[in-house]
Amino acid sequence: MDLLEVGRITKPHGIRGEVVVHLTTDRTERVTPGTVLYTGDGRVLKVLASRPHQGNWIVAFDGLHDRNGSDALRGAVLSAEPLDDPDALWVHELLGAEVVLAG
């Protein structure tokens, strides 16, 4: 499965296991409840809740219930499966493409 980087956990938020996520995508549906994200070490994280916060997102993941658990994810890169959107042209689809000048 080819995954795309969608964000990074910057730090814990509060004491209930929430984290601050900086999205590297403009597709905010990447942090809607029910979405599954993956860390670089293979951990699977399911979004329980999210809300915008100062240009980032506060995200609660299933299984994270305290600050110790969320602090362990500090700096983790978050990846997800590519979205199926026929109206969008994605960067990963351009890699390896041939450039041709119109003439």
Side-chain angles (χ1 to χ4, degrees), residues 19-32:
V19 295
V20 177
V21 172
H22 174 75
L23 289 180
T24 55
T25 176
D26 62 351
R27 303 296 294 254
T28 58
E29 66 263 35
R30 294 300 199 171
V31 290
T32 57

Side-chain angles (χ1 to χ4, degrees), residues 25-68:
T25 176
D26 62 351
R27 303 296 294 254
T28 58
E29 66 263 35
R30 294 300 199 171
V31 290
T32 57
T35 300
V36 175
L37 300 173
Y38 304 87
T39 64
D41 62 1
R43 187 168 183 174
V44 178
L45 300 171
K46 183 177 179 183
V47 177
L48 294 179
S50 66
R51 63 188 183 277
H53 177 72
Q54 299 177 351
N56 292 304
W57 290 83
I58 304 295
V59 180
F61 289 111
D62 188 26
L64 286 181
H65 305 291
D66 60 25
R67 187 171 181 97
N68 290 337

